């Protein structure tokens, strides 16, 4: 086994209309709270914890999640992921997710905060059945620096690969490197400081549904920009540029609540963390 700073392996299954843990293992600087059930639908919710308080140079993390047939899971974090000054090799986080037939995963972590001279590389691979549902979120936030300026981290690199029936259906590669690129200019962050992303894949997704969701979003699009694109399979990507984490979280909450209500007749999530 490779030497990981933190390792988390989780397998969920459905029994008697309730999603339960089939197998769980964690070591090092990744831990998992006991599952909670937010409503009577049988969907489980797990909180990932990092007892170390943040990521530093040379840290290596791996998360493996498998949902067996019909399993339903909300996976979130207890707090923001903080990446501090990185003098050694970059922080690496690998995630592999397997979604079997009829399973539903809502992956809703807290924001990633990158501080001065931080280096962070995240690689996520998702393998899903055509009858499963994925909702995957990322939020990127620049951390505090002594001179008060934004974008003092060295770089943030996020790669997402999504496969359906072994065919690549989405590849999202985002790299922000302030020292080499004027990322606050047009074509990058466009004078915004915070970035949010959502990837949704489900056979429930139609153009009519996206039109309806955009109508739900319109009242919340104030001092930010959003862009939405259909995928080659039923699903979409959403990108948000904003000036605060709260603006992004508000828009993403509208999206997740509308999806849960329209597709699964479920109430909005309330992931209380304090």
């Amino acid at each position: 086994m490779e030497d990981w700073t933190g390792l988390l392996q989780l397998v969920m299954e459905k029994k008697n209309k309730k999603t339960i843990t089939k197998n769980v293992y964690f070591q090092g600087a990744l831990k998992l709270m006991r599952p909670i059930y937010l409503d009577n639908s049988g969907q489980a919710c797990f909180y990932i914890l990092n007892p170390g308080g943040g990521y530093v140079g040379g840290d290596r993390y791996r998360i493996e999640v498998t949902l067996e047939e019909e399993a339903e899971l909300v996976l979130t974090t207890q707090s923001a992921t903080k990446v501090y000054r990185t003098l050694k090799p970059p922080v690496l986080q690998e995630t592999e997710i397997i979604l079997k037939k009829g399973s539903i995963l809502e992956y809703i972590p807290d924001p990633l905060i990158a501080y001065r001279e931080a280096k962070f590389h995240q690689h996520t691979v998702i393998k899903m059945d055509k009858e499963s549902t994925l909702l995957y979120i990322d939020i990127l936030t620049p951390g505090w620096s002594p001179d008060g300026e934004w974008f003092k981290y060295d770089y943030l690199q996020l790669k997402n690969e999504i496969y359906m029936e072994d065919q690549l259906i989405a590849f999202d590669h985002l790299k922000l490197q302030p020292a080499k690129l004027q990322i606050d200019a047009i074509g990058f962050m466009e004078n915004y400081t915070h970035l949010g992303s959502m990837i949704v894949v489900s056979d429930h997704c139609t153009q009519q549904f996206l039109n309806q969701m955009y109508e739900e979003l319109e009242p919340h699009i104030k001092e930010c920009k959003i862009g939405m694109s259909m995928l080659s399979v039923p699903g979409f990507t959403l990108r948000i540029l904003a000036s605060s984490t709260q603006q992004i979280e508000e828009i993403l909450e509208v999206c997740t609540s509308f999806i849960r209500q329209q597709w699964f007749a479920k109430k909005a999530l309330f992931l209380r963390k304090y």
Side-chain angles (χ1 to χ4, degrees):
M1 184 178 293
E2 294 189 53
D3 185 21
W4 299 101
T5 309
L7 174 64
L8 170 60
Q9 297 168 324
L10 177 65
V11 182
M12 304 296 291
E13 63 179 350
K14 194 162 192 176
K15 282 191 175 181
N16 300 321
K17 299 182 179 181
K18 185 177 182 180
T19 298
I20 61 173
T21 305
K22 181 178 180 180
N23 183 49
V24 62
Y25 172 81
F26 50 84
Q27 70 170 29
L30 285 179
K31 298 188 183 302
L32 207 59
M33 293 178 64
R34 293 176 63 86
I36 60 174
Y37 294 86
L38 303 172
D39 54 34
N40 59 4
S41 70
Q43 183 182 40
C45 176
F46 271 106
Y47 288 79
I48 300 174
L49 288 72
N50 182 344
Y55 294 1
V56 294
D59 280 0
R60 301 169 73 252
Y61 297 86
R62 181 168 176 82
I63 298 173
E64 301 172 7
V65 178
T66 298
L67 299 193
E68 301 286 2
E69 292 189 6
E70 306 295 331
E72 301 179 19
L73 176 66
V74 176
L75 190 60
T76 185
T77 50
Q78 187 190 38
S79 60
T81 298
K82 301 177 180 68
V83 184
Y84 295 110
R85 190 177 185 186
T86 309
L87 300 178
K88 297 179 180 180
V91 175
L92 171 67
Q93 178 164 303
E94 292 184 359
T95 303
E96 182 178 56
I97 296 170
I98 297 174
L99 304 180
K100 297 188 179 180
K101 183 178 179 180
S103 62
I104 302 171
L105 174 65
E106 297 175 67
Y107 184 69
I108 309 176
D110 287 279
L112 171 73
I113 304 176
Y115 291 90
R116 184 179 62 157
E117 298 181 29
K119 305 181 186 75
F120 180 77
H121 179 86
Q122 176 177 291
H123 186 197
T124 301
V125 177
I126 301 169
K127 301 173 183 177
M128 58 188 299
D129 184 273
K130 64 181 180 180
E131 296 183 34
S132 61
T133 293
L134 169 71
L135 191 156
Y136 181 93
I137 284 173
D138 275 313
I139 301 176
L140 304 182
T141 302
W144 176 87
S145 64
D147 56 13
E149 292 186 19
W150 299 107
F151 308 122
K152 300 300 285 187
Y153 53 81
D154 282 1
Y155 73 82
L156 299 177
Q157 184 173 18
L158 286 74
K159 289 184 182 179
N160 296 319
E161 300 175 40
I162 303 177
Y163 296 85
M164 180 178 288
E165 310 291 330
D166 297 324
Q167 295 293 317
L168 181 66
I169 60 167
F171 180 76
D172 185 28
H173 184 189
L174 176 67
K175 187 173 184 179
L176 301 177
Q177 199 166 7
K180 294 187 177 181
L181 300 168
Q182 192 176 351
I183 64 172
D184 59 345
I186 292 175
F188 286 92
M189 297 292 288
E190 303 195 2
N191 290 321
Y192 292 96
T193 52
H194 296 59
L195 185 147
S197 297
M198 171 187 274
I199 303 175
V200 176
V201 183
S202 176
D203 58 9
H204 293 280
C205 188
T206 63
Q207 184 63 59
Q208 180 182 3
F209 170 80
L210 290 182
N211 293 340
Q212 292 172 339
M213 191 171 73
Y214 189 82
E215 291 177 5
E216 293 286 321
L217 283 174
E218 269 197 300
H220 303 272
I221 305 172
K222 300 168 185 175
E223 298 177 359
C224 61
K225 289 185 179 180
I226 71 168
M228 190 182 300
S229 301
M230 293 283 288
L231 298 175
S232 60
V233 298
F236 68 91
T237 62
L238 178 70
R239 206 74 111 192
I240 307 163
L241 296 177
S243 300
S244 73
T245 301
Q246 290 73 25
Q247 289 176 329
I248 294 175
E249 288 178 334
E250 179 183 346
I251 291 172
L252 293 176
E253 185 176 330
V254 171
C255 292
T256 55
S257 298
F258 191 66
I259 288 171
R260 287 173 60 86
Q261 176 190 1
Q262 294 294 313
W263 292 355
F264 309 115
K266 292 181 180 178
K267 296 180 180 179
L269 286 171
F270 179 57
L271 300 175
R272 183 175 180 180
K273 302 180 183 182
Y274 50 86

